[in-house]
Amino acid sequence: MTISVMITTKNRAADLHRTLQVLQKLSPSPLEVLITADGCTDDTVEMLKAEMSKTEMKHLKVIVNETGRGSVASRDRMMREAKGDLVLALDDDSYPEQLDCLDAISSIFRLRSSLAILHFPQRTDEYPETLTQTDFGPEQPTRSFANSGAVLRRSTYLKLPGFEPKFFHMYEEPDYALQCVGAGYEVIYSPVITIRHHYSGATRSEMRNHHRHSRNEFWGVLMRCPFPQCLGLAAYRIFSQFRYACKRGISWVLREPAWWWQALLGIPYCLRKRQVISWERYKIWLQLK
């Protein structure tokens, strides 16, 4: 099975360059490496042009969004334009530690026709204890994954709604995993390979990401959860995110209504895009880890 790689990036040229150096060493090589420079204002695009001129990077394809469209819309476009049977999703600061990983990944997907998403443990600076960890637990089904280290079956993606562009950033992974489980496909965590995630702090804001995740989670309920269960679940999502804000301190509590307003404004859009998962399949997804 052929494998494409996709990465979305914004203003992290040094991190992206390091990732590209690792991807050059993969054996076998991926069919293509798609990168979306999403509203970059640093030297990312210039660096990519220099990389594209190298013979060993002839499979590098670059999409430039002059104005940022968000990581979710960028990934959705790359999933639809990719030529591989499978797509390895990475962040600009993450890469596989095993250089022969693509063969192992292909073998697993060939044997499991219902497998939609395969994702892997990460050694990340965000959680320093993982850097020396050797036991990452058993393979198991999950209700989400991280686009910093996951492989998606493209044919399955094209059958489903896919990543919701309105999310802009955050929460596309659990929403898409729900779509997969709802349609009877597998989402599997496997320690067959590991991902090195340097987790750059550049361009990240904890509070902004919390607001986006909370808003998108609420929108996800409106788009996927059947009535009347969606009413109770939407209320619970608001409550649980407010409870998290309370744990972070008064400044977080005072700013929590910012995402409530955004969420309300998006309700008409969500109702138009509503594609409901049966409650039986939705419950199965909720019970996964």
Side-chain angles (χ1 to χ4, degrees):
M1 302 183 76
T2 55
I3 302 181
S4 301
V5 175
M6 71 170 179
I7 299 172
T8 181
T9 187
K10 181 172 184 179
N11 293 344
R12 293 207 288 245
D15 292 303
L16 178 60
H17 186 262
R18 176 180 55 211
T19 294
L20 289 176
Q21 300 310 299
V22 175
L23 294 181
Q24 286 183 34
K25 300 175 184 178
L26 294 182
S27 180
S29 300
L31 177 66
E32 59 185 349
V33 177
L34 297 101
I35 297 178
T36 298
D38 189 48
C40 292
T41 55
D42 64 354
D43 60 348
T44 294
V45 175
E46 289 71 22
M47 182 274 289
L48 288 171
K49 288 180 179 178
E51 289 296 311
M52 290 174 69
S53 67
K54 298 178 181 178
T55 303
E56 61 270 26
M57 293 302 288
K58 61 184 178 180
H59 58 326
L60 177 60
K61 300 180 180 181
V62 177
I63 299 168
V64 178
N65 295 337
E66 296 295 344
T67 301
R69 297 179 58 206
S71 61
V72 182
S74 297
R75 287 193 177 106
D76 178 65
R77 177 179 175 180
M78 288 187 286
M79 282 296 301
R80 298 182 188 281
E81 294 188 5
K83 296 179 180 178
D85 302 307
L86 309 173
V87 180
L88 170 59
L90 298 170
D91 277 355
D92 48 20
D93 54 5
S94 69
Y95 50 80
E97 292 190 306
Q98 293 76 19
L99 298 182
D100 60 349
C101 63
L102 299 187
D103 272 344
I105 290 167
S106 295
S107 298
I108 294 172
F109 275 88
R110 278 197 300 268
L111 294 171
R112 302 174 74 157
S113 60
S114 64
L115 180 59
I117 304 167
L118 185 68
H119 61 109
F120 316 105
Q122 301 191 11
R123 302 185 195 276
T124 171
D125 301 286
E126 186 182 15
Y127 303 106
E129 66 275 10
T130 64
L131 298 178
T132 56
Q133 189 172 340
T134 56
D135 184 0
F136 288 97
E139 178 180 295
Q140 60 182 316
T142 63
R143 65 176 175 179
S144 189
F145 62 100
N147 268 320
S148 52
V151 179
L152 289 69
R153 192 188 297 268
R154 185 169 175 271
S155 61
T156 302
Y157 187 89
L158 297 178
K159 294 175 184 176
L160 300 170
F163 299 145
E164 172 49 59
K166 191 171 180 63
F167 286 171
F168 190 83
H169 184 58
M170 306 295 290
Y171 200 72
E172 78 277 16
E173 297 104 331
D175 179 66
Y176 180 59
L178 170 60
Q179 296 172 38
C180 292
V181 174
Y185 296 106
E186 293 181 291
V187 179
I188 299 294
Y189 161 88
S190 173
V192 65
I193 70 167
T194 52
I195 300 294
R196 179 65 173 97
H197 193 181
H198 290 273
Y199 198 79
S200 171
T203 74
R204 298 183 193 270
S205 164
E206 274 194 273
M207 185 176 293
R208 182 179 62 207
N209 284 346
H210 164 69
H211 286 175
R212 285 174 174 167
H213 178 95
S214 303
R215 177 199 67 190
N216 297 345
E217 183 181 55
F218 176 83
W219 283 346
V221 171
L222 297 185
M223 285 190 280
R224 315 289 176 218
C225 188
F227 183 86
Q229 291 90 344
C230 62
L231 301 179
L233 188 56
Y236 174 76
R237 295 304 191 196
I238 296 171
F239 168 75
S240 63
Q241 295 298 345
F242 182 74
R243 183 174 56 188
Y244 173 78
C246 290
K247 294 177 181 178
R248 296 302 301 267
I250 188 63
S251 63
W252 282 61
V253 172
L254 293 175
R255 295 174 185 173
E256 190 72 353
W259 78 259
W260 297 346
W261 177 243
Q262 294 174 16
L264 287 173
L265 291 177
I267 288 177
Y269 174 90
C270 294
L271 295 180
R272 289 195 302 271
K273 292 288 294 282
R274 188 167 161 81
Q275 295 190 40
V276 172
I277 308 294
S278 73
W279 183 239
E280 289 73 18
R281 300 301 302 178
Y282 206 106
K283 285 192 295 182
I284 291 173
W285 175 75
L286 286 173
Q287 291 164 3
L288 295 171
K289 293 183 178 181

